[in-house]
Amino acid sequence: MSRQTDGGRRTPLNRDRVLRTAVALADRAGIEALSMRSLAQELGVVPMALYKHVANKEQLLDGMVDVVVGEVGAPAEDADWKSAVRGRVLATRQALLRHPWAARVVESRPGPTPGTLGHLDSVIGMFLAGGLSADLTHHAMHALGGRVWGFTQELFPAPPPSADPEVQAAVLREAAARYPHVVAIATAGAAHDGGSVVGAGCDDLFEFEFALDLLLDGIERLHRRGWTSVRPG
Amino acid sequence: MSRQTDGGRRTPLNRDRVLRTAVALADRAGIEALSMRSLAQELGVVPMALYKHVANKEQLLDGMVDVVVGEVGAPAEDADWKSAVRGRVLATRQALLRHPWAARVVESRPGPTPGTLGHLDSVIGMFLAGGLSADLTHHAMHALGGRVWGFTQELFPAPPPSADPEVQAAVLREAAARYPHVVAIATAGAAHDGGSVVGAGCDDLFEFEFALDLLLDGIERLHRRGWTSVRPG
DNA sequence: ACCTGAACACCGTTCAAGT
DNA sequence: ACCTGAACACCGTTCAAGT
């Protein structure tokens, strides 16, 4: 249904249309369903036609990342550095959440794209504008790591969604014997989500902000102390 | 050369030999060179023979992860919780550094393996033994995120290794115009590595410990304050 | 200038057959 | 019980040819 039917003549391909269709296809069918061949079919075109607009699949993925990065709005101007960074990171998180495949693809890129470099630049600029030294800012960026992109790789994405409550109980009993500590904190920490104990997810935003604030507060403390890295030259 | 030549009769395959050969092949040739077919060839066997010992490639990767996790030694017993966790995390880091592909594969697994669950269990046990509440421990584990595995996904793995110093200078000049903040902290922070400014890497262990200690210190502070998560039930 | 067809060298996995 | 051969339904990418 999304196939082009403009009276036998197709609107000519261009890089932008290729990238946007790829993003839409990955959103709908999952990133594993995105191949040069499936994307070509989606565009009503033969696979080879794509290679006039993207050099190869790697460059296609780079381009898709920049489409998503482009969806992050402009940074706020007025606030202090800490809430400026905080806000920007959380805004990036929102953009990435709209495309479930995006976090994984960003991680998999072997190097920065223009879009991701621009994003890094804007976050670094906030630290520097707040008076942090280039040295502290450098390490702060490393410490934030994946969180600058608005995601954290979780220990494991989702707890197994077992339907039968009897099976759940049996699984839990066996797990408690083998991994007592895991079960202890899973049942304690997940209580707030209201669901069944074993299948309950965590409050992702809470966990994300918990770690983000732990890091930002620590960085602020170092900044106030005039911290510098003392290392052998 | 590594092909079996035991007088025409092959030593029978078993799961352990399949996994260890897969680990060795990934170490030597890279994870992208590991296919069911290349692994079979390495073992002097037809691809289908592997499927008697691992259900599919996913299970092969799970098994490889557990081989690596098995290389992490036993945890230290006596220390306080903070240095116990710190030591265990750094030991895990060492094991993962021996297998460059391992961090990426751990990240890519859709769920925990017995080995990774056991590893999580031991780290959680250290927090609980130190008197942290299950609640705080839960969030602490989330905050540590990938760091419990001994790695952090870097912003980007490696700076481009450009040979010609003239090209380097030109690249730097163009980058400085477009991404001034990135260049500012790259040149400041990388100075300690002694190499050329643009191609210098960072001190990975320093960055890793910087973030790890920021988190552990923050967690310790919350613990001393008797922190609890207050969330709507 | 832009798109196509046919082909190459790969994948993971199946099935039915061999020893 | 364990391994094999042939085949299936895929990949990304090339080359030379079409319009």
Side-chain angles (χ1 to χ4, degrees):
Chain A
M1 299 310 156
S2 64
R3 188 185 291 271
Q4 302 284 122
T5 45
D6 48 350
R9 240 223 233 160
R10 357 197 79 90
T11 57
L13 238 46
N14 60 51
R15 193 181 145 88
D16 199 64
R17 201 155 77 87
V18 169
L19 295 181
R20 295 190 178 284
T21 307
V23 167
L25 181 56
D27 285 350
R28 173 161 42 82
I31 192 72
E32 75 288 342
L34 176 78
S35 67
M36 296 301 273
R37 294 167 121 103
S38 64
L39 175 57
Q41 193 181 8
E42 187 76 11
L43 287 158
V45 119
V46 93
M48 257 313 292
L50 301 175
Y51 287 83
K52 283 272 125 68
H53 303 99
V54 289
N56 48 39
K57 193 176 181 183
E58 297 293 288
Q59 204 184 89
L60 173 72
L61 292 172
D62 280 349
M64 292 170 69
V65 165
D66 278 359
V67 168
V68 175
V69 172
E71 287 180 10
V72 184
E77 293 276 347
D78 42 11
D80 64 303
W81 68 264
K82 201 164 99 173
S83 49
V85 169
R86 194 177 197 277
R88 186 111 184 101
V89 168
L90 290 171
T92 310
R93 182 172 184 270
Q94 297 255 352
L96 273 137
L97 285 180
R98 287 196 289 273
H99 308 283
W101 48 270
R104 179 139 299 212
V105 172
V106 170
E107 280 182 278
S108 78
R109 297 298 75 215
T113 63
T116 55
L117 263 181
H119 181 255
L120 288 184
D121 201 66
S122 81
V123 176
I124 294 169
M126 289 171 174
F127 280 118
L128 296 177
L132 275 75
S133 70
D135 180 34
L136 179 54
T137 300
H138 177 105
H139 301 300
M141 291 297 287
H142 273 286
L144 287 170
R147 253 168 286 258
V148 216
W149 302 119
F151 65 88
T152 316
Q153 89 261 39
E154 281 299 321
L155 298 178
F156 287 106
S162 157
D164 186 349
E166 270 189 50
V167 172
Q168 264 194 25
V171 167
L172 184 59
R173 230 174 303 122
E174 217 207 329
R178 225 181 299 216
Y179 311 110
H181 306 315
V182 171
V183 171
I185 69 156
T187 50
H192 59 91
D193 241 13
S196 73
V197 158
V198 106
C202 301
D203 183 339
D204 289 337
L205 179 58
F206 184 91
E207 307 300 355
F208 187 85
E209 291 185 322
F210 180 85
L212 180 61
D213 290 337
L214 226 44
L215 291 167
L216 290 177
D217 290 348
I219 290 160
E220 186 182 36
R221 201 170 293 115
L222 293 179
H223 174 49
R224 279 205 287 245
R225 283 184 196 164
W227 181 92
T228 42
S229 61
V230 261
R231 282 156 300 160
Chain B
M1 301 311 156
S2 64
R3 187 185 292 271
Q4 301 284 121
T5 45
D6 47 349
R9 240 222 233 162
R10 359 197 78 89
T11 58
L13 240 46
N14 59 53
R15 193 180 146 87
D16 199 64
R17 200 154 79 85
V18 168
L19 294 181
R20 294 191 179 283
T21 306
V23 167
L25 180 56
D27 286 349
R28 173 160 44 83
I31 192 71
E32 75 288 342
L34 177 78
S35 67
M36 297 301 272
R37 294 166 121 104
S38 65
L39 175 56
Q41 193 181 9
E42 186 76 13
L43 286 159
V45 119
V46 94
M48 258 313 291
L50 300 175
Y51 287 83
K52 283 272 125 66
H53 302 101
V54 288
N56 49 40
K57 192 175 182 182
E58 297 292 287
Q59 205 185 87
L60 173 72
L61 292 171
D62 280 348
M64 292 170 69
V65 166
D66 278 359
V67 168
V68 175
V69 172
E71 287 179 10
V72 185
E77 293 275 347
D78 43 11
D80 63 303
W81 69 264
K82 202 164 98 175
S83 49
V85 169
R86 194 177 196 278
R88 187 114 185 99
V89 167
L90 289 171
T92 310
R93 183 172 183 274
Q94 296 256 354
L96 273 137
L97 283 180
R98 287 195 291 271
H99 308 282
W101 47 272
R104 181 139 296 212
V105 172
V106 169
E107 279 182 277
S108 78
R109 297 298 74 217
T113 63
T116 53
L117 263 181
H119 182 254
L120 288 183
D121 201 66
S122 82
V123 175
I124 294 168
M126 288 171 174
F127 280 118
L128 296 177
L132 275 74
S133 70
D135 180 34
L136 179 54
T137 300
H138 177 104
H139 301 301
M141 291 296 289
H142 274 285
L144 286 170
R147 254 168 285 259
V148 217
W149 302 118
F151 64 88
T152 317
Q153 88 263 39
E154 280 299 320
L155 298 178
F156 286 107
S162 159
D164 188 348
E166 270 189 49
V167 173
Q168 264 194 25
V171 166
L172 184 60
R173 230 173 305 122
E174 217 207 329
R178 226 181 300 218
Y179 312 109
H181 306 316
V182 170
V183 170
I185 70 156
T187 51
H192 61 91
D193 243 13
S196 73
V197 157
V198 105
C202 301
D203 183 339
D204 290 337
L205 179 58
F206 184 91
E207 307 301 355
F208 187 85
E209 291 185 324
F210 180 86
L212 180 60
D213 291 337
L214 225 46
L215 291 167
L216 289 176
D217 290 349
I219 291 160
E220 186 182 34
R221 200 170 295 114
L222 294 178
H223 173 50
R224 279 206 288 245
R225 283 184 196 164
W227 181 91
T228 41
S229 61
V230 263
R231 284 156 300 162

